[in-house]
Amino acid sequence: MKVDSDINLVTPEPRISVKQEEDTHITIARRDHDNSEPISAELIDISHHGAKLGMTICPRFQESLSLQIDIPSRDVHYEGVALVRNIRSN
């Protein structure tokens, strides 16, 4: 369990692995670049509050990205803005 700043116990959000889903489609573009080319990425897992992505570029912390995720087999469709909150390099 995680502990928030008010010392309340918080159950972590369950994450759903989607690496094996063959019908997953993801589109990402940088919002601060005019006519930005789509960024190649792999959706690794997703939860109610976020997604873990494998990307070919390293975005900046707190960068806003245009994000569209479609997983028809799981009835998932998201289109909006994603804020980079965590970065790890391989």
Side-chain angles (χ1 to χ4, degrees), residues 50-85:
K52 187 184 298 181
L53 306 171
M55 301 173 67
T56 58
I57 58 112
C58 185
R60 295 181 316 276
F61 183 70
Q62 299 288 358
E63 180 176 2
S64 294
L65 302 171
S66 295
L67 177 64
Q68 181 175 337
I69 298 172
D70 289 298
I71 312 171
S73 63
R74 294 198 181 244
D75 198 26
V76 171
H77 174 76
Y78 173 82
E79 188 171 343
V81 176
L83 184 62
V84 177
R85 302 259 183 179

Side-chain angles (χ1 to χ4, degrees), residues 40-55:
S40 178
E42 173 189 16
L43 181 62
I44 297 167
D45 67 28
I46 192 166
S47 75
H48 182 68
H49 294 289
K52 187 184 298 181
L53 306 171
M55 301 173 67

Side-chain angles (χ1 to χ4, degrees), residues 1-13:
M1 287 196 166
K2 294 192 289 187
V3 179
D4 69 15
S5 60
D6 294 332
I7 311 300
N8 295 321
L9 295 178
V10 178
T11 303
E13 194 66 37

